[in-house]
Amino acid sequence: GLTSLPEGLFSGLTSLTSINMSDCRGLTSLPEGLFSGLTALKVVDMSDCDNLELPAGLVDELKAKGVNVLHE
């Protein structure tokens, strides 16, 4: 299964408001800067991604920008 996402996956998608990656149990890592430049982003759902190790400070960084982060 999918264990990581490619760098630049969301680049240029400035109108993207929601990302649902819930239940991606095989996902183990996210590239640095995956969500950078997503100025319209409001929700990132990473719930039930049991093996996902998030980059340090990512959740706090997103929340500071007003993004609702679901990850547990």
Side-chain angles (χ1 to χ4, degrees):
L2 190 65
T3 59
S4 65
L5 300 176
E7 286 187 37
L9 178 65
F10 303 125
S11 66
L13 301 176
T14 55
S15 299
L16 192 65
T17 59
S18 177
I19 298 172
N20 184 343
M21 298 185 293
S22 64
D23 216 19
C24 291
R25 297 183 192 281
L27 195 60
T28 58
S29 65
L30 298 177
E32 290 288 332
L34 180 66
F35 304 113
S36 62
L38 300 180
T39 53
L41 193 62
K42 297 294 176 205
V43 178
V44 175
D45 187 350
M46 299 178 282
S47 56
D48 297 320
C49 297
D50 300 336
N51 299 308
L52 182 59
E53 292 289 328
L54 297 176
L58 176 66
V59 172
D60 290 337
E61 178 184 324
L62 288 170
K63 287 183 176 181
K65 294 179 181 177
V67 178
N68 183 16
V69 180
L70 307 170
H71 178 252
E72 286 305 318

